[in-house]
Amino acid sequence: MMAWAAEGRHLLSIDDLGREDIQRLLTRAESFAEVSGREIKKVPTLRGRTVINLFYESSTRTSASFELAAKRLSADLLNIKSVGSSVDKGESLKDTVQTLSAYDPAAIVIRSPNAGAAQMVSRWTTASVINAGDGKHEHPTQALTDLYTLRRRVGSLEGLKLWIVGDVLHSRVARSGILAFVRMGCEVTVCGPPTLIPRGIEALGCAVRHTLDELADADVVYSLRMQLERMQGTYVPSLREYAALYQIDSRRLTPTQLLMHPGPVNRGVELDARVIDSPQALIVDQVESGVVVRMAVLFELLAGGGRGARNATEQEPQPA
Ligand code: NCD
């Protein structure tokens, strides 16, 4: 099931990926970890190819790691943010994509507040399109980063019990995460107040809980940010009451459990400061892994998996 790299050319959803595709990407990311350990963190793989980061929403980690990933693969990179571009002047997404496509990019990385935006972009350009988060829908490279991070820490993911706690309703990270973790053999439970758990989410293969009473069952606790910017109306009585029932703190997290969070963290809301800074937390590892995983995605899409794969991590020829 390697269709996505060979024919699909896009990464829009975790559903585009079979288990083998995911495994290949994670292995590829591991090979790039060696490059990231070098003093000169650069390989010539995508030299002469253009990557455009098109971000219509705030981002620190995702945009920085896509930027570093493209640069470490020697691609030419354009960073376009909606603020400060002609989007400010009312240019539509379609016109913007068609305009940027005139520069003949090999890939467009798109983040948008609208679900389905990446899919639409893929119809308007011949570039490979990578979904860097589309509204509440999906964030596939975050899910791959999380799989990679966890696999590095624990080895096999098979049978691992993972609880995703918080604002699942507004979370593209949760949606992609559930699909990815289930595909890799994890037992996934989502937990939060009924107002923040989408109806029918069990169809993705996860269990649902509304209290943390059985949290001790989890091997890994994956905490989510309250996505206040996506909420119209009130979903919880107050952040203080939410924290009283759902905040992960050192009382609720047992010493052998691992803690993950995609960032940005609202300290004191979904997580207590002490657990964020504890050795159980993989939050910084997740940020670090983001670069090699996005290198792997760019590589598999643009350099075509098998083709050129051997040379993926070969160093830049040194001047004589
Ligand atoms: C997330 C996002 O933007 O979807 N952050 C990220 O990409 N690491 C999660 C969030 O904003 O809460």
Side-chain angles (χ1 to χ4, degrees):
M1 246 239 262
M2 312 227 287
W4 79 284
E7 297 150 30
R9 297 184 303 105
H10 307 298
L11 179 56
L12 306 176
S13 159
I14 286 293
D15 257 342
D16 297 344
L17 304 176
R19 197 173 166 133
E20 279 166 30
D21 298 316
I22 293 177
Q23 240 134 14
R24 198 180 61 253
L25 277 165
L26 300 184
T27 305
R28 178 71 62 200
E30 254 153 40
S31 75
F32 286 129
E34 186 268 316
V35 175
S36 292
R38 293 179 195 160
E39 193 178 323
I40 297 171
K41 305 181 195 317
K42 221 174 171 72
V43 289
T45 324
L46 296 185
R47 190 155 46 194
R49 317 285 296 275
T50 301
V51 174
I52 300 183
N53 277 346
L54 181 55
F55 276 64
Y56 281 77
E57 244 189 18
S58 312
S59 170
T60 302
R61 282 150 276 263
T62 307
S63 64
S65 57
F66 266 114
E67 179 167 350
L68 278 175
K71 286 179 170 167
R72 288 182 184 176
L73 292 170
S74 304
D76 293 327
L77 177 74
L78 274 180
N79 278 319
I80 314 272
K81 310 233 182 261
S82 53
V83 178
S85 74
S86 287
V87 172
D88 274 353
K89 302 176 185 167
E91 189 165 42
S92 71
L93 179 59
K94 185 171 181 180
D95 286 342
T96 303
V97 168
Q98 283 174 344
T99 300
L100 294 172
S101 295
Y103 301 123
D104 194 21
I108 296 180
V109 179
I110 167 92
R111 165 164 290 194
S112 161
N114 302 314
Q119 172 93 50
M120 287 198 293
V121 170
S122 72
R123 286 192 232 118
W124 300 326
T125 180
T126 54
S128 286
V129 174
I130 301 172
N131 183 2
D134 61 333
K136 301 189 284 186
H137 180 229
E138 277 220 43
H139 193 352
T141 60
Q142 180 68 46
L144 292 169
T145 297
D146 296 337
L147 290 176
Y148 176 87
T149 307
L150 195 55
R151 200 173 79 156
R152 280 214 132 186
R153 177 64 76 101
V154 302
S156 170
L157 301 178
E158 193 71 52
L160 211 64
K161 295 194 178 77
L162 183 107
W163 274 50
I164 300 178
V165 181
D167 180 3
V168 177
L169 181 67
H170 298 101
S171 178
R172 54 198 176 204
V173 171
R175 184 168 298 275
S176 291
I178 296 166
L179 291 170
F181 281 112
V182 167
R183 192 145 299 171
M184 298 314 281
C186 299
E187 281 177 40
V188 179
T189 300
V190 298
C191 177
T195 48
L196 291 177
I197 303 289
R199 226 173 276 270
I201 188 98
E202 297 90 338
L204 299 183
C206 58
V208 174
R209 295 284 180 276
H210 296 301
T211 71
L212 293 179
D213 295 350
E214 298 162 63
L215 187 70
D217 285 350
D219 300 307
V220 183
V221 178
Y222 195 115
S223 168
L224 297 171
R225 184 174 68 85
M226 288 288 268
Q227 309 252 320
L228 298 172
E229 76 278 20
R230 292 190 214 286
M231 295 185 190
Q232 279 141 7
T234 30
Y235 288 81
V236 291
S238 70
L239 286 183
R240 184 204 286 257
E241 281 181 63
Y242 172 80
L245 290 174
Y246 296 101
Q247 184 186 88
I248 306 300
D249 58 16
S250 43
R251 236 169 359 105
R252 288 178 172 148
L253 196 71
T254 68
T256 57
Q257 287 176 320
L258 293 171
L259 176 67
M260 301 179 81
H261 190 296
V265 174
N266 285 140
R267 280 179 186 253
V269 181
E270 67 269 12
L271 291 179
D272 175 72
R274 259 163 309 184
V275 296
I276 300 172
D277 302 320
S278 79
Q280 291 167 259
L282 296 176
I283 302 171
V284 179
D285 306 51
Q286 287 171 272
V287 176
E288 190 188 330
S289 304
V291 179
V292 291
V293 169
R294 286 164 180 123
M295 286 171 83
V297 168
L298 286 169
F299 177 81
E300 291 289 329
L301 286 175
L302 305 188
R307 275 185 293 127
R310 247 177 330 114
N311 301 325
T313 60
E314 215 163 77
Q315 247 162 324
E316 195 76 41
Q318 299 302 306

